[in-house]
Amino acid sequence: MTTNDAFLKEITEGNTFKGDYITMGSAILNENPLKNAYVNIPLKTLNRHGLIAGATGTGKTKTLQVMAEQLSDQGIPVLLMDIKGDLSGLAKPGVSNNFIETRHEKIGLEYTTKGFPVDVLTLSHQDGVRLRATVSEFGPILLSRILDLTDTQSGIVSVIFKYCDDNKLPLLDLKDFKKILQYATQEGKAEFQEAYGRISTASTGAILRKVVELEQQGADLFFGETSFDVQDLTRIDSDGRGYINILRLTDIQDKPKLFSTFMLSLLAEIYTTFPEQGDSGRPELVIFIDEAHLIFSEASKALLNQIESIVKLIRSKGVGLYFVTQNPTDVPEAVLGQLGLKIQHALRAFTAKDRKAIKLTAQNYPDSAYYDTESVLTNLGTGEALISALDEKGRPTPLAATMMRAPMSRMDILTDTELSELISESKLVKKYNQTIDRESAYEILTDKINRAEAEAEKEAEREEQRSKKTTSRRKSTVMNPIVKVLTSATFIRSVFGILTKVMKK
């Protein structure tokens, strides 16, 4: 048996599964793709999370596109974080050309073109389905971690939430939260102190500054109603294809705090609301987080711990998380250790630090008799990747340098007109894009304070009126000095004494 035959046999046997799977491309040996040496990923292990990494321009976005298309065809909904704004083309069919046809001939796959069911979501003023969540839905613990608060400050946030629960004050947006913070140390100071103990003005001031910092990154748009129902991410179209939900984040690259806030709230909501899936053989939802370093670069230690915990637990809900980034070191080791799929595009070594990083990356892949992994990582071409997946029993599949198949959808963005048409046809836009500002903590407390101030003013007026009447009465009861003398007992006795003497004479 030749080396090629032995390699083909190993790849074929290692990528043959009982259940459904998606095909990424065909394996490469000695820089040449082997026809029909398909590299597959079983649906059963797609909730084990994964990583798509590689230098700029090596094909990460197209790999993400290929995976999203095939998942949709399998009836699995997808959520894509589109930070560069180049994924909207999934909604329209691609265009074939000689390069693509030649590539697919080498792989042994027929090339077809088609568009997919797409919904465009947004966190900002961009067009799309508005994503929002209320402050109450975050809860005191999650909100404290996002704001990176101390234990004392977190305790105050818990008290604030307890007070709002006890007094039926809805915490919907950030102005509600800021209002109750101010109320706790101003107008409502005595009320809070009696029920919960003294609250430090310095602590509430520090919390307010953290809230303002979050607001400056656009969080005031995110917090509020109508709150997004994560079940709407799991929709299937009339043809049985899963919706591809594209979250446009092109204006959020300089707002990592908002991005990590949204991601954490989304994952927490999914974990809370999705039922335990068990061993169903396919995921309920797959989430691709492009430019994943934005989640981790500005995250506090408490926030990182929260993300790591959710990553570990959320796969039991049938949710797969895929981090897309330039370098695997952008993702914390505790998260990397949870990943079952690694798709590594080429890495470039320009410095000693780069070479060291490549060496460490190579050690994360299974040993192979056919590859010098460290060398392969620096010699992969555009649209080629080193793939290590898990089979249906959770064992690593054979390591394969892979020539990736081309996306079936458009490998370019939609025009403004096409994007507007797509958004206007969305059922979710009608559901979520109406801004609601119902009576909540801000309005209730403002009304309470206004009523208290009005009552205080009335009481002051009444007191002033009482004071005037008292003064008037006092004036009316003060005798004229002459009358006082004439009516005094001493004067009267003197007068009677004189009259008696006169009469005796």
Side-chain angles (χ1 to χ4, degrees):
M1 184 182 291
T2 65
T3 301
N4 276 16
D5 290 338
F7 178 72
L8 180 60
K9 182 174 184 293
E10 180 177 312
I11 293 296
T12 302
E13 290 178 353
N15 287 272
T16 300
F17 310 115
K18 293 180 180 178
D20 294 329
Y21 55 85
I22 61 175
T23 300
M24 301 305 299
S26 195
I28 299 171
L29 183 64
N30 298 325
E31 301 185 2
N32 294 310
L34 298 185
K35 196 170 186 177
N36 303 326
Y38 300 134
V39 177
N40 302 320
I41 302 170
L43 298 187
K44 186 175 182 178
T45 60
L46 279 172
N47 65 336
R48 302 291 184 91
H49 313 318
L51 173 74
I52 302 173
T56 300
T58 55
K60 298 188 301 295
T61 301
K62 299 300 179 285
T63 295
L64 187 160
Q65 199 169 339
V66 163
M67 289 188 70
E69 291 173 347
Q70 293 186 76
L71 289 169
S72 176
D73 270 345
Q74 295 275 3
I76 299 171
V78 174
L79 173 62
L80 304 177
M81 309 295 166
D82 187 10
I83 290 182
K84 297 189 290 292
D86 50 7
L87 291 171
S88 60
L90 278 157
K92 299 293 183 180
V95 178
S96 183
N97 56 42
N98 289 336
F99 178 81
I100 293 175
E101 293 288 351
T102 301
R103 186 183 194 87
H104 273 251
E105 174 63 26
K106 291 178 181 178
I107 293 173
L109 287 172
E110 182 183 355
Y111 182 68
T112 58
T113 62
K114 58 180 173 178
F116 294 82
V118 167
D119 249 316
V120 178
L121 319 178
T122 180
L123 285 175
S124 64
H125 289 294
Q126 289 184 316
D127 292 335
V129 179
R130 289 290 302 277
L131 299 186
R132 296 185 183 92
T134 66
V135 173
S136 292
E137 287 170 337
F138 269 66
I141 296 175
L142 194 55
L143 187 62
S144 296
R145 288 179 178 171
I146 286 166
L147 296 175
D148 192 20
L149 303 182
T150 65
D151 289 343
T152 299
Q153 293 163 353
S154 298
I156 291 173
V157 172
S158 295
V159 166
I160 294 295
F161 272 75
K162 179 70 167 65
Y163 176 83
C164 290
D165 287 342
D166 292 345
N167 293 273
K168 295 180 172 55
L169 297 174
L171 282 173
L172 304 181
D173 50 31
L174 290 181
K175 76 175 187 292
D176 290 332
F177 186 64
K178 290 193 296 181
K179 189 68 177 180
I180 187 66
L181 274 174
Q182 293 167 341
Y183 180 78
T185 53
Q186 295 176 13
E187 298 88 351
K189 181 177 179 179
E191 183 183 358
F192 266 83
Q193 188 165 334
E194 181 181 352
Y196 310 105
R198 191 175 72 84
I199 292 179
S200 164
T201 305
S203 294
T204 56
I207 298 170
L208 275 171
R209 288 191 290 274
K210 293 291 183 71
V211 174
V212 169
E213 179 188 348
L214 195 60
E215 277 184 318
Q216 289 175 336
Q217 295 205 14
D220 54 328
L221 289 173
F222 173 62
F223 285 98
E225 291 185 310
T226 302
S227 184
F228 188 80
D229 183 356
V230 292
Q231 294 294 335
D232 281 330
L233 296 174
T234 62
R235 293 172 305 129
I236 307 295
D237 77 353
S238 57
D239 296 323
R241 297 184 299 172
Y243 263 86
I244 299 175
N245 304 281
I246 300 176
L247 177 56
R248 301 175 71 198
L249 297 167
T250 54
D251 59 347
I252 212 171
Q253 294 189 43
D254 59 342
K255 301 172 183 176
K257 193 89 172 180
L258 176 59
F259 185 39
S260 58
T261 297
F262 162 72
M263 277 308 307
L264 188 53
S265 69
L266 176 75
L267 297 179
E269 184 72 10
I270 288 173
Y271 179 71
T272 302
T273 58
F274 277 33
E276 288 288 334
Q277 189 188 41
D279 191 17
S280 70
R282 56 191 291 118
E284 286 293 309
L285 175 69
V286 175
I287 302 173
F288 292 89
I289 305 171
D290 199 6
E291 303 295 333
H293 64 277
L294 290 178
I295 293 181
F296 305 110
S297 60
E298 296 293 323
S300 65
K301 185 176 180 181
L303 189 56
L304 281 175
N305 290 338
Q306 184 76 18
I307 293 172
E308 289 166 9
S309 296
I310 290 178
V311 169
K312 292 175 184 177
L313 298 171
I314 204 169
R315 71 182 186 89
S316 67
K317 306 289 185 167
V319 178
L321 298 176
Y322 288 81
F323 301 96
V324 185
T325 188
Q326 292 191 20
N327 198 307
T329 57
D330 293 335
V331 181
E333 287 188 10
V335 174
L336 283 176
Q338 301 296 314
L339 307 182
L341 172 67
K342 297 185 182 74
I343 301 178
Q344 180 65 63
H345 289 268
L347 291 173
R348 306 304 182 206
F350 296 107
T351 66
K353 184 179 179 180
D354 291 338
R355 289 192 291 273
K356 185 177 180 180
I358 289 170
K359 188 171 184 177
L360 290 172
T361 300
Q363 293 172 1
N364 290 328
Y365 287 87
D367 293 332
S368 172
Y370 301 98
Y371 299 118
D372 175 356
T373 307
E374 189 175 338
S375 175
V376 169
L377 285 174
T378 57
N379 288 291
L380 289 167
T382 301
E384 297 175 355
L386 199 62
I387 297 180
S388 173
L390 297 177
D391 67 15
E392 292 168 311
K393 293 184 178 180
R395 302 169 301 193
T397 57
L399 185 64
T402 307
M403 176 173 281
M404 310 294 283
R405 66 188 300 173
M408 293 177 278
S409 57
R410 184 188 296 180
M411 288 187 276
D412 198 359
I413 63 174
L414 299 183
T415 65
D416 291 343
T417 301
E418 289 173 329
L419 189 60
S420 296
E421 289 175 353
L422 179 65
I423 293 170
S424 66
E425 293 169 359
S426 171
K427 294 179 181 178
L428 296 185
V429 166
K430 299 176 180 67
K431 181 177 180 180
Y432 292 110
N433 282 32
Q434 181 182 358
T435 301
I436 298 175
D437 189 13
R438 64 183 171 95
E439 186 179 65
S440 54
Y442 178 85
E443 289 79 14
I444 294 171
L445 287 175
T446 299
D447 182 58
K448 183 177 181 179
I449 292 168
N450 290 340
R451 281 189 282 108
E453 289 176 349
E455 184 61 33
E457 288 179 4
K458 289 180 181 178
E459 182 60 32
E461 289 177 1
R462 288 194 291 268
E463 184 62 33
E464 186 178 351
Q465 291 296 326
R466 284 195 294 269
S467 178
K468 287 179 179 178
K469 289 179 180 178
T470 302
T471 302
S472 177
R473 282 196 300 271
R474 285 175 181 169
K475 286 182 179 179
S476 66
T477 57
V478 174
M479 288 186 176
N480 187 295
I482 297 174
V483 175
K484 186 175 182 180
V485 170
L486 293 176
T487 57
S488 67
T490 303
F491 179 78
I492 292 171
R493 282 195 299 271
S494 297
V495 171
F496 274 108
I498 293 170
L499 288 174
T500 302
K501 289 178 182 180
V502 170
M503 289 174 68
K504 287 180 179 180
K505 290 180 180 180

